[in-house]
């Protein structure tokens, strides 16, 4: 198991957190970034995860980036709806 992912799972069991995962074209994990958050709403945590994803994409500089969101609110905000 990935030590960073294990640490993230242990922390999530105790705190509120946001995370972003970068995958390659085959679905393999390239990088994981996460942060512990203060007590926030689920929408704020999902937005924090999106920001982590932007920073991760900037750091990795891929030719293309796809964001997968499970938050209807976040997806609507990102698409201007």
């Amino acid at each position: 198991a990935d030590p960073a992912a294990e640490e993230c799972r242990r922390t999530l069991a105790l705190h509120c957190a946001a995370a972003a995962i970068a995958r390659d074209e085959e679905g393999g994990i390239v990088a994981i970034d996460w942060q512990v958050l203060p007590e926030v709403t689920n929408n704020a945590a999902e937005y924090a995860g999106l920001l982590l994803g932007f920073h991760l994409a900037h750091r990795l500089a891929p030719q293309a980036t796809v964001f997968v969101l499970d938050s209807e609110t976040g997806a609507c905000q990102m698409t201007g709806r």
Side-chain angles (χ1 to χ4, degrees):
D2 179 4
E6 289 300 318
E7 182 181 353
C8 182
R9 276 192 280 280
R10 283 192 303 276
T11 299
L12 286 175
L14 303 173
H15 303 284
C16 181
I21 300 172
R23 295 183 177 269
D24 61 23
E25 291 178 354
E26 290 78 39
I29 295 175
V30 175
I32 298 173
D33 198 2
W34 62 279
Q35 69 182 81
V36 175
L37 301 171
E39 189 172 323
V40 297
T41 66
N42 64 318
N43 287 337
E46 289 168 355
Y47 188 73
L50 180 62
L51 292 177
L52 284 172
F54 284 136
H55 291 292
L56 198 57
H58 179 74
R59 188 178 84 218
L60 296 173
Q63 290 185 353
T65 303
V66 176
F67 289 90
V68 179
L69 305 170
D70 68 352
S71 163
E72 184 178 355
T73 300
C76 287
Q77 288 173 338
M78 291 306 301
T79 59
R81 291 185 276 154

